[in-house]
Amino acid sequence: MTDAASSAAGTETREFSAEVGRLLDLVVHSLYSEREIFLRELVANAADATDRRRFEALTDGALSLPDGAGIRINPEKEARSLTISDDGTGMTRDELVANLGTIARSGTRAFGTQLSNAKPEDRPSLIGQFGVGFYAAFMVADKVDVVSRRAGSDEAWRWTSEGKGAYTLSPATRDKPGTDITLHIKEDADEFLDPWRLQSIIKKWSDHISWPVTIMREGKEEAANEGTALWLKPRSEITEEQLNDFYRHTTHNFDTPWDTLHWRAEGTIEFSALLFVPGSRPFEFAEQTRESRVKLHVRRMFITDEAEILPPWLRFVQGVVDTEDLPLNVSREMLQATPVLVRIRKAVTGKVMSELKTRAKDSESYASFWENFGPVLKEGMWDDPVHRNEVAALCRFRSSAVEGLTSFDDYISRMKPEQEAIYYLTGDSAASLETSPQIEGFKARGIEVLLLSDAVDSFWPDRLSSYEGKTLRNVAQGQSDLEKFGAPAESDAEKAEMEALIPALKASLGEAVSDVRATNRLVDSAMVLTAPEGGPDLQLQKLMQRSNQSMPGVTPILELNPAHPVVHHLADMAKAGQSVDELALILLDVASIQNGEPPKDVNAFSRRLVGYLAKKAV
């Protein structure tokens, strides 16, 4: 942001950055066919602000909501304006800047690219998920005024923008706390000045908001929503359309849920729950907070979405849990300690896990869920010892032996009689792992290897360590187990070659490797880099380096294929007393490339390789 000169006393003009301006232009113009979505976003924001004020008032009586608090929509045809008002927390000047004047954040450019490339029917979903729904107002308005007064303050401020790269801030007046958003409607958006049209939009998108929403019609306020707590109704009284509408309101998605869980728990504790597993992966899901955002209600009243009702590895589940076993004035501190919420968390987590086990029986449907949320669910094997084995049973993996996804149980059913371990390899993509030198020997002997390509895959195996009595073993760590499966031993000639070559390579490579040794894990490749037994594998080291996190350096081991022609050639050079320095460094760099890493000195590698080829060409 850059400040411009004030245009009037007390008025400050600010400009959006160029990137934000481009993004705002996309929001305004790319969503033209779904312009009604602006009202859903503004009403949802107003409801959230009112919920926050009610919650804050539990510990500060001065912030209490007025009688009849709600959301009011006032279309004025003659003035060509539409105002959405609420009695919520309101905003200070600084909060207006933070909430409305700043939309740039990590991923903004990626969002803009995805929005411009998305199909028209997918674009409204993206805007809601990204959290810039307020700016949808500019689809129907050529100017937007926001007047807001923070609860507990006497000051009000006005934010004004035409959506063209700048906004102004100035002092204002408002009789009571809350926010008024006034849209100056464009010439081609007359439909949004019609009370009946506005009513239909509220009915479609916001009927389940618990605060009363009214629309001014012929000088009278008329109710626009039922405000029904859908989660308290029996399932038999709810239509599929109502469930889908509530799902879309809750998640800001435009698809249908992959799964819906609706039940009432009775007994020691009582609560109602309506939860959804989305049918598609939300935009920037991986970058969002790890905490669960299931909303906690007490007697229909929203309390917080920070109660962490579900563990982080189930954070893709969204919805509402409502109980009468907590007081309305429960504080955030009390939520952390109350045994009631501990029992609710346990019950809700158990229900979700039970549902996933049932749905996992339909492999085709479960595969679509896994592609969206599998990497998140796998986090449970890392950080939840209570549910670790349950999560493991739900996990699916790519494999060197079968098409599609497979489970641990399926892998075990295919194991060779003499096989004692579940073998796996981690990397950046399943496609690159399928051709990795690390698994050549295993594939040649019919030993299945799980191909793990998510970032979390470098962590959880150490915590899980085994499944159903079968040890998990990384094929890129330590010596391979292939001698158990009929791997041919080195011939006497190969042993003699290795005895001559290995000391020469160690001398040439020095501290670049911790060891040089022969291996039976290779078939077509000449060499491979592996990690020592018990230390972090090379993929984990790579991930830590990418995230700028320190980790004690573990020098790799260079393993050689004694049967490969290149290795024979090197051995002949060593036996003849010729220097192998140049070829040794080339081989080490090639091994790094095979491992998905560039050579430490790309220019030096290029010079060595071209120089060697030039000698051969003479």
Side-chain angles (χ1 to χ4, degrees):
M1 300 278 180
T2 58
D3 293 350
S6 297
S7 59
T11 299
E12 178 187 2
T13 300
R14 292 191 166 202
E15 294 180 356
F16 294 120
S17 68
E19 183 171 303
V20 174
R22 288 193 298 270
L23 178 56
L24 186 55
D25 184 69
L26 277 170
V27 169
V28 173
H29 296 102
S30 296
L31 302 175
Y32 187 87
S33 62
E34 293 285 350
R35 291 199 295 179
E36 70 178 39
I37 203 64
F38 84 92
L39 190 58
R40 182 193 77 170
E41 296 297 324
L42 296 183
V43 169
N45 289 347
D48 289 344
T50 311
D51 282 334
R52 285 196 297 272
R53 180 174 175 185
R54 189 200 61 76
F55 186 80
E56 290 177 4
L58 295 176
T59 54
D60 186 350
L63 304 181
S64 296
L65 286 159
D67 294 337
I71 301 160
R72 296 168 295 283
I73 301 173
N74 184 17
E76 297 186 75
K77 289 187 177 181
E78 291 186 7
R80 299 194 60 76
S81 68
L82 175 65
T83 301
I84 296 93
S85 302
D86 66 63
D87 300 300
T89 53
M91 290 175 278
T92 64
R93 175 193 174 282
D94 290 344
E95 287 171 333
L96 280 169
V97 172
N99 296 335
L100 304 185
T102 307
I103 59 176
R105 64 182 178 89
S106 174
T108 296
R109 186 181 299 277
F111 168 71
T113 301
Q114 185 161 343
L115 183 61
S116 60
N117 294 335
K119 297 177 182 177
E121 62 268 24
D122 295 333
R123 288 168 178 164
S125 178
L126 290 178
I127 188 174
Q129 293 169 23
F130 193 73
V132 293
F134 166 79
Y135 296 91
F138 289 104
M139 292 189 292
V140 300
D142 49 27
K143 179 182 176 183
V144 177
D145 290 316
V146 179
V147 175
S148 195
R149 174 180 161 187
R150 187 68 163 87
S153 171
D154 294 329
E155 289 186 350
W157 288 87
R158 181 186 300 275
W159 180 99
T160 301
S161 179
E162 295 180 356
K164 296 178 180 178
Y167 64 93
T168 62
L169 291 166
S170 59
T173 58
R174 197 176 194 274
D175 292 341
K176 56 184 180 180
T179 299
D180 301 317
I181 300 177
T182 300
L183 286 65
H184 299 273
I185 300 299
K186 295 178 179 179
E187 291 294 332
D188 64 347
D190 283 355
E191 61 180 299
F192 301 112
L193 294 171
D194 181 350
W196 294 105
R197 174 73 171 110
L198 299 172
Q199 170 78 57
S200 69
I201 298 171
I202 295 299
K203 189 72 177 174
K204 178 179 180 180
W205 296 113
S206 308
D207 198 43
H208 307 296
I209 285 179
S210 58
W211 296 103
V213 180
T214 61
I215 296 176
M216 187 67 72
R217 183 182 289 117
E218 297 179 356
K220 295 181 180 180
E221 286 189 7
E222 297 186 5
N225 69 322
E226 291 186 12
T228 305
L230 199 68
W231 55 88
L232 296 180
K233 285 187 171 184
R235 179 65 180 87
S236 59
E237 297 179 12
I238 306 174
T239 67
E240 202 66 27
E241 182 180 9
Q242 287 175 315
L243 282 173
N244 288 339
D245 286 347
F246 184 71
Y247 160 75
R248 290 162 183 161
H249 163 74
T250 301
T251 64
H252 294 283
N253 289 346
F254 268 65
D255 60 357
T256 55
W258 178 77
D259 199 10
T260 300
L261 294 82
H262 182 208
W263 81 100
R264 177 168 179 79
E266 296 179 337
T268 307
I269 53 169
E270 295 188 359
F271 64 88
S272 296
L274 179 54
L275 304 177
F276 303 99
V277 177
S280 60
R281 185 183 179 92
F283 181 74
E284 283 197 328
F285 182 66
E287 295 183 17
Q288 296 172 2
T289 176
R290 288 193 72 232
E291 284 72 33
S292 163
R293 290 299 184 188
V294 171
K295 295 180 179 179
L296 175 65
H297 288 239
V298 173
R299 300 166 204 170
R300 289 190 54 189
M301 301 299 290
F302 172 77
I303 298 298
T304 182
D305 63 356
E306 298 179 357
E308 299 178 20
I309 291 173
L310 285 170
W313 46 272
L314 288 176
R315 61 185 178 276
F316 51 82
V317 179
Q318 301 181 58
V320 172
V321 169
D322 192 343
T323 182
E324 295 189 2
D325 292 340
L326 289 169
L328 278 173
N329 64 345
V330 62
S331 65
R332 284 187 174 88
E333 291 73 20
M334 186 185 299
L335 284 176
Q336 299 305 315
T338 176
V340 171
L341 193 56
V342 172
R343 291 196 290 269
I344 289 176
R345 287 170 178 150
K346 182 177 180 180
V348 174
T349 300
K351 183 72 172 181
V352 172
M353 290 296 288
S354 177
E355 180 71 5
L356 289 177
K357 290 175 187 176
T358 300
R359 292 298 305 270
K361 296 174 183 176
D362 182 344
S363 57
E364 185 175 346
S365 174
Y366 193 72
S368 68
F369 157 79
W370 186 258
E371 291 301 319
N372 288 326
F373 304 111
V376 177
L377 186 61
K378 281 192 284 191
E379 292 175 11
M381 292 188 287
W382 166 258
D383 61 17
D384 195 329
V386 174
H387 295 94
R388 184 170 291 146
N389 291 326
E390 282 185 279
V391 173
L394 290 169
C395 287
R396 299 293 183 266
F397 312 96
R398 300 290 174 185
S399 164
S400 65
V402 296
E403 294 291 329
L405 298 171
T406 191
S407 66
F408 277 133
D409 290 319
D410 290 337
Y411 179 103
I412 290 173
S413 71
R414 295 189 292 267
M415 285 173 59
K416 289 183 173 295
E418 66 274 26
Q419 187 175 340
E420 300 173 354
I422 296 172
Y423 295 103
Y424 70 92
L425 178 64
T426 61
D428 291 329
S429 72
S432 65
L433 291 174
E434 287 176 358
T435 58
S436 171
Q438 303 280 7
I439 65 173
E440 289 177 0
F442 290 87
K443 289 173 69 175
R445 294 162 182 81
I447 307 299
E448 184 173 359
V449 179
L450 298 179
L451 310 176
L452 313 182
S453 56
D454 294 316
V456 69
D457 292 329
S458 291
F459 300 92
W460 61 260
D462 285 340
R463 293 279 176 88
L464 183 64
S465 72
S466 66
Y467 181 83
E468 295 295 327
K470 304 295 184 181
T471 301
L472 271 64
R473 186 165 176 82
N474 188 340
V475 300
Q477 255 180 320
Q479 296 277 12
S480 72
D481 293 338
L482 289 174
E483 62 275 2
K484 300 177 183 176
F485 307 104
E490 290 179 75
S491 66
D492 291 340
E494 288 173 343
K495 286 181 179 179
E497 288 183 340
M498 290 300 100
E499 288 175 359
L501 176 59
I502 288 176
L505 287 177
K506 286 182 177 180
S508 298
L509 297 176
E511 295 182 357
V513 294
S514 61
D515 195 9
V516 179
R517 65 194 182 196
T519 184
N520 56 16
R521 78 171 76 233
L522 298 173
V523 176
D524 299 318
S525 300
M527 66 283 152
V528 69
L529 288 176
T530 63
E533 188 81 37
D537 69 10
L538 302 184
Q539 176 67 10
L540 177 57
Q541 295 178 53
K542 183 165 58 175
L543 287 173
M544 299 297 282
Q545 290 170 0
R546 287 176 183 174
S547 59
N548 295 319
Q549 297 188 44
S550 61
M551 170 177 277
V554 178
T555 308
I557 296 169
L558 180 66
E559 295 193 343
L560 304 173
N561 178 359
H564 198 278
V566 168
V567 176
H568 287 316
H569 175 64
L570 276 168
D572 289 342
M573 292 175 63
K575 286 190 291 184
Q578 300 174 21
S579 172
V580 297
D581 291 352
E582 185 178 48
L583 266 179
L585 291 171
I586 291 174
L587 284 181
L588 181 63
D589 285 338
V590 171
S592 294
I593 294 171
Q594 288 178 166
N595 196 47
E597 286 291 292
K600 290 183 178 180
D601 188 334
V602 176
N603 292 327
F605 168 67
S606 299
R607 286 194 299 270
R608 289 190 196 104
L609 183 59
V610 172
Y612 180 78
L613 292 175
K615 291 177 184 177
K616 290 296 180 181
V618 174

